Every structure is written in structure tokens, then in C-alpha cells.
Amino acid sequence: MTVAVAPPKRRPKRHPLRAEAVRGLGPLTGACVLLMFGVLLTASPETWQGGWEETANLMHNSLLIALPLAAAAGCWQGGRERRRRIEELWNTSVRTPLTRLLASALPVALWVAVAYLLAVVAASLATWPYSLGDHPYLAQVPGDTVALMAAVLLGHVAGRTVPTLFAAPLLGMAVYAVLGAAVHDDTGRPFDPAALAVDGLRPVWWQPLAMAGWTLGLVLAITLAYAARRRATALLPLAAAVACGALLAHTGSGLWRPGPYANRQACDTSTTPAVCVNARYAGLLPQVGDALSGVTGKLRGVRNLPVRWEDRDGESHADEAQLPMITPFGWSVVRGRLTEPKRYAWEAVQMLEGRGDCEEVPTRVSAADDAVTAYLAPNLSQDYFDRLDAKGDAAARADLRARLAARAKLAGMDEEHRRAWLSAYFAARGDCALKGVPSL
């Protein structure tokens, strides 16, 4: 009797990168990079949630730590064969040195890139519910991803070249030192893939592409010069890197320009003064308007007021008053909400009076300023300071009596008389000569 023997099952062909991608240092490195971004994002979420630009800048500035970590991981992976003492055996493989290098380095680089992209997605999802306007800034994400992968590849070459167990930590520290030094060097800043992003400034549209060409081209040139059979092939990526580097160097400070919302204001003109915030935070305008509604309601019918409160850097125009600072997040604004509306209104009234730059203010004018502030937006801590003055020396007590009398007089006026007095008061707004300020 003939027994049929089934042929052995053929194992499915698997790509050689698969084993490296699912085991070993690649997944561990990706987890470490993702954990690092998680720590940075959760350390102070109140400083970036709600602002798309703040979120994008945090992710980009985190490269100062992520790039050394990626380089160190690549270096450790590059020295793996030497640590296992199979370097000579590995060199007998039919695969070319470049193929063996890329087969070992690419999985780690891909895991680092995936971890960074997951962190970007997580940060964007965390910002979305609290966003105040504007739109996500993703222009730098491709360039930053390429820089992280290039750091892994550069570290891998260093790990194969430097025969020491301490190569990985030393390379990580060296990369961190170089990037940190470039932060304070205007000459090296155009070439720094981790150059610190500044709120209000955005890179020109081609800067991330040129930076990717500079970093990846330079690292590919080093890799090909080290592992390629025909080392002349390194000239092509080197030429691309030189061209991108020349473009970055020629543009210099022009690589960063004011963002599209830098000088744009979103305004509520239904009140006097009008209330304006930077267009990046247009979603905050209703909250600011509500916080100032008590002030604008009491100023109805008063003349000589500024045209508007404005929210932008630099000196205000003569017919404008500066709005209290919204940024940096974490103080006045946390996760898209005003933290202390009453204090915000009090600060806005201080700006409205416009005497912050005056060196010396007489007691008469100081009492008038205090009375106006107490009427429009009283300070929640005023009672505490009044009690301190009441226990102070004779001068402090006399000053307190003058302030209390001025507050009582302004509060006791009829509406028409008070509007006329406030109109005369704001006519002398910002006048350090103080002759036009009416008495109380």
C-alpha cells in the first residue's frame, strides 16, 4: 500500500526588516521617545493647551531632548554586533555593508518617527477642545520627523565606528551640547534643526523642506561614505545638503517671519471702549467681553475714552489702551478659560488710566485714580491693603483717609455729575503733568 506524504508547508516569505521592527531596540526606543514627549506634554499642560501655535512650538522645541535620545539609540544599535562579538561573522554575509547597516538602522528610525507622530496627534487632540481660534500648525512636522530619523542614522554610523560601550551616552551628550550651543549662536541657528521656535514667529513655507534636505542629505552622505561600495555616490546627497545649507545661510534671520495673525485683531465694537484680542485667540473674545462688561457698563455715556482696548506687542496708539496680557498661557488663561475675570478687569482699568509710566503721582491724583478703579473694577485685595495702611504710620493713615474720601465722593455722585467728572478725568488720561486731572 502506498502512503501519500504531504509536502512540507512553506513558510511565508517575510521581509528582513520585519524581525528588526517587531523585536529588539526599535520598539523600546519608540516607547522611550513617546514617554519623553508624554512627560514634556503633561508637565505643564496649562502653558500650551488652547493655543495651536503654543502646541506646535512645544513639539518642535522638544527636539532639543529628542534628537540626542534618537542619536544615542542609533549609536547603541550600531554597536550591537561588536557587543555580541559577531562582527566578523556578520561581515561574511552576502548582503552589502550598506544593506546590513540600513536593515539594522531603519527600524529604529521608523519607530522614533512613529513615536513623534503619535505625540503630535496626542498633543493636537489635547489642544482641540480648548482651542481659541487659529488652526493647527503642522508645517514643521515633516522636517522634524526627518531630523529625528537622520539622528538615528548618524548615531548608527557612530556606533559602528567608535569601539566603546560609552559611545551612545557620549554621543547623546555631544549632540545635546551642540544643539544647546546653537541656540545662543545666531550664526549656527539657521542650520539647527532644533532651533527654538518663538511665539508670534513662523518659518517661511520652504524652511522645513530646506532643513530636511540639509540634515538628511548630510547624514546620507556620511552613511554612504562609510558603507557604500562606491563611495562617490555620497557626493549626490552631499551636494543636496550643501545647496540646502547655502539657502538657509543666505536667508538667515528671514527664515522666521511674523505669523499671519501677528497684527490682526478680533474686536467687539458693541461697547465703548471696544474690546479687541489678537485674532489667534478670537474664541476668547466673549470671555474678555464678559469680564469687562461691568467696566464698560459703568462707562456708558462717558466721553474722552480710548477707542478700544487692544492686544498686541509694542506701544499702544494714543487712542488705544493695552489689554492685560493673555499670553503666556498658564497665568491669565488656562485651557481656554480666563482664570480670574475680576482681577483681569481690574488690570484693564489700570491700563485704561494710562499713568503706569509716570515717575511721581501727587496724592490728589493718586486718590482720584484709586477712586476710579474702586468704582469701575474694585481690587479684591483692596480691603487687605486698606487694613495694612490703617495700622501704618501717620503718612499711610492720611493717605488712606484721602483715598476713602475720594471713593465715597465719586460713588455718591448722581449719574450725570459722575459722567461729567469721568469725562474730564479721561480727558487727562496718560498725562503725567497731571494738571488736567479733576479733584475729588
Side-chain angles (χ1 to χ4, degrees):
M1 185 173 92
T2 304
V3 179
V5 179
K9 292 183 179 180
R10 291 184 178 181
R11 292 183 178 181
K13 292 184 178 180
R14 293 176 177 176
H15 197 278
L17 290 178
R18 183 180 182 278
E20 293 280 3
V22 299
R23 294 191 296 270
L25 191 63
L28 179 61
T29 303
C32 290
V33 171
L34 190 59
L35 177 63
M36 182 214 70
F37 279 108
V39 170
L40 293 176
L41 290 171
T42 56
S44 55
E46 66 278 359
T47 63
W48 56 270
Q49 280 186 293
W52 287 115
E53 188 172 73
E54 286 78 6
T55 302
N57 288 350
L58 174 62
M59 294 303 301
H60 174 76
N61 293 339
S62 299
L63 291 188
L64 187 62
I65 301 176
L67 286 174
L69 178 60
C75 186
W76 186 257
Q77 179 79 345
R80 180 180 59 178
E81 282 74 34
R82 185 183 299 108
R83 293 193 304 275
R84 295 177 178 178
R85 298 181 181 180
I86 59 172
E87 192 173 15
E88 292 183 4
L89 177 63
W90 187 244
N91 288 335
T92 62
S93 171
V94 296
R95 294 175 182 168
T96 65
L98 181 61
T99 301
R100 295 198 301 268
L101 185 149
L102 293 178
S104 179
L106 283 181
V108 179
L110 291 174
W111 272 105
V112 169
V114 169
Y116 173 69
L117 294 176
L118 287 176
V120 170
V121 172
S124 299
L125 291 177
T127 290
W128 199 287
Y130 310 107
S131 61
L132 298 172
D134 208 350
H135 56 80
Y137 289 86
L138 302 175
Q140 288 183 273
V141 171
D144 293 347
T145 306
V146 168
L148 287 167
M149 297 179 71
V152 173
L153 193 55
L154 179 63
H156 199 89
V157 174
R160 285 173 174 263
T161 306
V162 182
T164 174
L165 289 173
F166 301 104
L170 290 175
L171 179 64
M173 288 187 289
V175 171
Y176 181 80
V178 170
L179 294 176
V183 170
H184 305 287
D185 183 10
D186 292 338
T187 305
R189 190 171 187 268
F191 307 105
D192 183 6
L196 294 181
V198 180
D199 289 346
L201 296 178
R202 305 308 308 162
V204 294
W205 67 270
W206 51 264
Q207 189 266 356
L209 300 177
M211 184 61 71
W214 160 250
T215 54
L216 187 60
L218 196 59
V219 171
L220 283 179
I222 295 172
T223 303
L224 293 175
Y226 169 77
R229 286 180 176 176
R230 298 179 180 178
R231 295 184 177 180
T233 55
L235 294 176
L236 184 59
L238 181 61
V242 170
C244 293
L247 181 60
L248 293 171
H250 177 72
T251 308
S253 60
L255 293 170
W256 299 84
R257 296 178 180 175
Y261 295 95
N263 296 314
R264 290 175 56 185
Q265 301 274 296
C267 298
D268 176 7
T269 58
S270 63
T271 63
T272 302
V275 180
C276 300
V277 299
N278 189 283
R280 283 171 51 202
Y281 313 116
L284 194 64
L285 185 59
Q287 293 184 56
V288 174
D290 288 343
L292 299 178
S293 60
V295 178
T296 54
K298 293 175 182 177
L299 291 176
R300 191 175 292 112
V302 176
R303 303 182 305 279
N304 304 318
L305 292 169
V307 174
R308 63 179 183 173
W309 276 290
E310 51 87 15
D311 173 33
R312 59 187 170 196
D313 295 333
E315 297 256 342
S316 302
H317 297 150
D319 58 347
E320 295 177 338
Q322 178 72 44
L323 201 66
M325 294 296 294
I326 293 173
T327 56
F329 288 168
W331 296 94
S332 296
V333 178
V334 174
R335 295 186 181 90
R337 305 295 300 177
L338 278 179
T339 55
E340 298 181 76
K342 292 183 178 180
R343 179 176 179 81
Y344 190 84
W346 176 79
E347 292 177 352
V349 171
Q350 303 300 306
M351 302 289 190
L352 199 63
E353 292 171 355
R355 264 184 284 278
D357 295 331
C358 296
E359 294 182 359
E360 221 176 294
V361 179
T363 302
R364 175 184 67 85
V365 177
S366 176
D369 291 343
D370 177 79
V372 171
T373 301
Y375 171 68
L376 295 177
N379 186 356
L380 299 179
S381 304
Q382 191 60 58
D383 289 342
Y384 171 76
F385 291 113
D386 288 347
R387 287 195 297 271
L388 287 181
D389 287 340
K391 298 176 183 178
D393 56 18
R397 293 196 300 272
D399 187 61
L400 174 62
R401 286 194 297 270
R403 294 201 310 270
L404 293 176
R407 292 178 203 169
K409 187 171 182 180
L410 182 61
M413 292 180 182
D414 60 74
E415 291 294 330
E416 185 176 352
H417 188 191
R418 185 163 47 233
R419 279 197 297 268
W421 188 91
L422 287 172
S423 298
Y425 173 85
F426 283 110
R429 173 182 172 270
D431 179 15
C432 289
L434 308 176
K435 294 179 182 179
V437 179
S439 299
L440 278 173

